[in-house]
Amino acid sequence: MTASRLGQKEFSRRRRQLLRMIGRGGAAVLPAAPVRLRNRDVEYPYRQDSDFYYLTGFAEPDAVAVLIPGRGHAEYILFCRERDPARETWDGPRAGQEGAVAQFGADDAFPIDDIDDILPGLLESCERVYHTMGIHPEFDSRVIGWVNTLRNRGGGTQVPQEFVSLDHLLHDMRLFKSRSEQAAMRRSAKIGVAAHLRAMRSVRPGMMEYEIEAEFLHEFRRHGAEPSYQPIVGGGGNACVLHYIANDARLEDGDLLLIDAGCELDYYACDITRTMPVNGRFSEAQRAIYDIVLEAHQAAIAQVQPGNHWNDPHDAAVRVVTRGLKRLGLLEGTLAALIRDEACKRFFMHKTGHWLGMDVHDVGDYRVEEHARQLEPGMVMTIEPGIYIPDGLRGVPKRWQGIGVRIEDDVVVTRDGHEVLTDGVPVDADEIEAVMAAGLAAGRSAGKAA
Ligand code: GLY
Ligand code: MN
Ligand code: MN
C-alpha cells in the first residue's frame, strides 16, 4: 500500500492539532472501516472510514488508531494487521507494524490481534476517552469492554470517567480545508469536469442512461478516480426523482437530461450536476425553467463570501426561483408572501448545498448555537439549486411537466470571496448547446472516417 499523495506531513499536522485539542488526560480511539460483504463471499470495494483516514492516511481494514497526548514515548499508536506472506499472496501487501511506523508515522504499532491485551493498559492513565459512538456498534461495545476490563481490575486501577464524542473536534477540523486539501479537491474536480464534458459531447436521443453513466466511469477510472456517489443520470421525468440511480431508461428526443455525477480522488470528492437537452436544443419551456435555475445558481454563488452565513446562498436561490416561477404563472401571490410561505418548496424541495470534502455530504455543523454558521476561508460547499416539475403534477400546465433542472458546482470560500472548482463545465444554455453541437459534429465526422 502506498502512502497518500497528500504527504505524511499533512497527516502528522492533523494528529498534532487533534492531540493539542484533546489535551492531557484524554485518549482518542478510532477504528478503521469494517470490510462489508456484497453477496456471499464477494466484498464491496473497501473504502477507509473518512475520520480514520483523515488522521492516519492508512487505507487498510482491521486497524485501530489511538492518540494519547503527552504519553512519553508514543502519542500515536496504530494497531494493524501483521505481515502474512501467505495472505498477502491473495490480498496484496500489508504495511505491518514496521510499515505503520516507517511509512505512516506511528510512534508505536502492535498487531490488531493483541488489542484486547494492550489497549486497556493504554487507557488506564486517561480520564477521558474520545470516541464517536453509534457508527460502528460492534466496535463501540469493544471500547466499553476495554474500559470495563480496567474497572474489573480493581485495586488502584484508574478508570476513565468520561466518554466524549470525537465528532465535534474532528469534524470541525475537517470542515476547514488546508492548502493541500484544496489542491486535492482541485484535482478531483478537474476529473469530474472532464467527465461531464465527455458526457455532454456524447448524449444522443435513443441512448440509454447507463451508456452516459459509462462515459463517467471511463473518465473517472482512467484518471485513477472512482465515483464519489452513485451517478444520477435521469432523462425526462427521471430528473425529478432526486436520488434516481436506476439509470436504465432510454433518452428521448425532446426531453431534458439531468446528470449528477462526481468522483473521488485521494479521498476527496467532487459533486457536479448539469442539465441538458437530449437532442442538443432546449425547447422554449425548458429554457425558461433552465434560465431561472441558472440565475438562482449565480445569485447563490455570489453569496459565498467570508462573513456571510451558511443559509445566505439558499435564501438568494429561493428568492430567484420564487420570482421566476411567479413570472411563469407557476406560483401565485405576492413575492413576499410566497417567500414567507416557502411556496417554491413544491418545485425546489432541497437545500441549495452542503459541505463537501472527504465525504460528498461532508461533516461540519451548519449551525452554531442556534445561528446559521458564518462562512470562513477554507470551507468548501456545493451550490445546487433546482426546479422539478414531475409528470402529472396537479394544477401545472402540461408544457412544464417532465422538466427537472439542477445545476451544481463546488465552491471554496476564500479570503476575499470564493473559487468555483468546477466551472470548467459550461452552465450557460447557449454554451451547453454549443458543446453538444460540437460533440454531434465530431461524432458525424468520426462516422464518416470509419
Ligand atoms: N449528489 C448528491 C448531492 O448532490 O447532494
Ligand atoms: Mn450535492
Ligand atoms: Mn450532486
Side-chain angles (χ1 to χ4, degrees):
M1 186 175 64
T2 52
S4 161
R5 222 179 306 206
L6 262 72
Q8 274 310 308
K9 268 202 192 129
E10 174 81 8
F11 294 100
S12 130
R13 188 189 56 72
R14 294 169 181 175
R15 287 191 297 268
R16 277 202 310 276
Q17 191 179 342
L18 187 66
L19 282 163
R20 246 192 335 269
M21 290 196 297
I22 289 175
R24 281 182 185 264
V29 182
L30 292 99
V35 170
R36 293 188 175 87
L37 287 181
R38 179 179 183 277
N39 58 299
R40 196 159 159 79
D41 59 350
V42 178
E43 294 168 2
Y44 279 107
Y46 186 72
R47 162 59 158 78
Q48 188 54 278
D49 176 83
S50 298
D51 284 341
F52 183 91
Y53 193 84
Y54 180 80
L55 290 173
T56 63
F58 193 70
E60 291 185 32
D62 293 324
V64 173
V66 183
L67 293 167
I68 307 180
R71 184 172 174 271
H73 60 289
E75 292 186 305
Y76 168 34
I77 302 119
L78 190 60
F79 291 87
C80 59
R81 301 179 301 186
E82 285 186 271
R83 299 290 311 272
D84 179 343
R87 277 315 317 165
E88 289 177 48
T89 306
W90 291 85
D91 303 332
R94 299 172 173 190
Q97 287 66 54
E98 219 170 278
V101 172
Q103 294 169 52
F104 294 93
D107 298 321
D108 210 346
F110 299 102
I112 186 74
D113 291 336
D114 295 346
I115 195 166
D116 289 334
D117 298 329
I118 298 171
L119 194 58
L122 293 177
L123 298 182
E124 189 177 340
S125 51
C126 300
E127 292 149 22
R128 303 177 307 282
V129 176
Y130 289 78
H131 167 65
T132 302
M133 298 276 181
I135 298 173
H136 306 295
E138 267 178 37
F139 188 78
D140 296 348
S141 45
R142 295 190 68 190
V143 175
I144 294 166
W146 292 321
V147 172
N148 279 339
T149 304
L150 288 179
R151 259 196 207 113
N152 295 338
R153 279 189 193 160
T157 310
Q158 196 183 323
V159 182
Q161 293 300 311
E162 262 184 90
F163 278 102
V164 187
S165 174
L166 240 194
D167 275 14
H168 218 69
L169 299 178
L170 196 53
H171 292 179
D172 215 61
M173 281 171 68
R174 281 180 53 191
L175 176 57
F176 294 89
K177 277 70 179 174
S178 68
R179 284 162 70 100
S180 51
E181 287 183 286
Q182 289 180 37
M185 293 190 75
R186 256 177 233 117
R187 291 195 291 272
S188 175
K190 197 170 165 199
I191 299 168
V193 163
H196 272 270
L197 285 170
R198 179 187 178 108
M200 209 176 258
R201 290 189 196 108
S202 13
V203 172
R204 311 272 185 277
M207 284 175 85
M208 301 299 284
E209 291 164 345
Y210 50 69
E211 292 179 76
I212 301 302
E213 181 182 356
E215 297 294 332
F216 281 89
L217 300 181
H218 182 105
E219 195 66 22
F220 292 164
R221 290 305 296 143
R222 90 192 186 93
H223 290 103
E226 57 204 321
S228 46
Y229 53 91
Q230 289 288 105
I232 295 167
V233 183
N238 294 338
C240 302
V241 179
L242 296 179
H243 287 165
Y244 177 77
I245 51 168
N247 301 347
D248 59 356
R250 190 176 302 278
L251 296 174
E252 302 295 348
D253 197 344
D255 278 352
L256 285 181
L257 167 62
L258 182 155
I259 304 176
D260 183 343
C263 64
E264 177 181 302
L265 182 78
D266 298 333
Y267 284 79
Y268 286 89
C270 66
D271 181 7
I272 308 173
T273 307
R274 289 295 183 270
T275 308
M276 65 212 75
V278 167
N279 63 15
R281 300 283 298 184
F282 286 92
S283 72
E284 209 178 303
Q286 290 165 349
R287 175 83 188 235
I289 299 291
Y290 187 90
D291 283 344
I292 296 171
V293 178
L294 180 59
E295 190 189 338
H297 181 255
Q298 287 166 341
I301 287 182
Q303 291 299 316
V304 182
Q305 307 274 351
N308 276 5
H309 288 90
W310 150 254
N311 58 318
D312 288 334
H314 182 63
D315 290 348
V318 163
R319 170 166 286 274
V320 173
V321 167
T322 308
R323 199 174 52 209
L325 291 173
K326 177 173 149 63
R327 199 174 57 234
L328 298 184
L330 287 164
L331 290 176
E332 284 173 24
T334 66
L335 185 61
L338 289 170
I339 288 174
R340 185 197 60 218
D341 299 342
E342 301 183 326
C344 79
K345 260 194 172 166
R346 185 168 189 225
F347 304 98
F348 174 25
M349 59 294 280
H350 56 75
K351 280 279 183 190
T352 300
H354 48 82
W355 305 132
L356 179 74
M358 296 181 75
D359 293 307
V360 66
H361 295 162
D362 208 29
V363 293
D365 291 333
Y366 290 98
R367 303 185 70 79
V368 177
E369 292 169 2
E370 302 300 306
H371 299 291
R373 184 158 201 156
Q374 256 193 4
L375 300 178
E376 295 178 54
M379 292 175 169
V380 183
M381 64 198 291
T382 66
I383 293 294
E384 50 177 310
I387 294 177
Y388 313 92
I389 313 175
D391 289 313
L393 191 65
R394 224 164 2 100
V396 173
K398 196 94 185 137
R399 64 192 293 249
W400 304 113
Q401 294 184 14
I403 293 180
V405 176
R406 178 165 65 255
I407 306 171
E408 177 173 30
D409 277 310
D410 304 344
V411 187
V412 187
V413 184
T414 61
R415 277 220 315 243
D416 48 10
H418 58 252
E419 173 190 350
V420 182
L421 299 178
T422 46
D423 57 5
V425 200
V427 285
D428 180 83
D430 292 331
E431 285 179 47
I432 289 175
E433 289 182 352
V435 170
M436 296 184 79
L440 266 172
R444 265 197 300 272
S445 60
K448 262 186 216 140

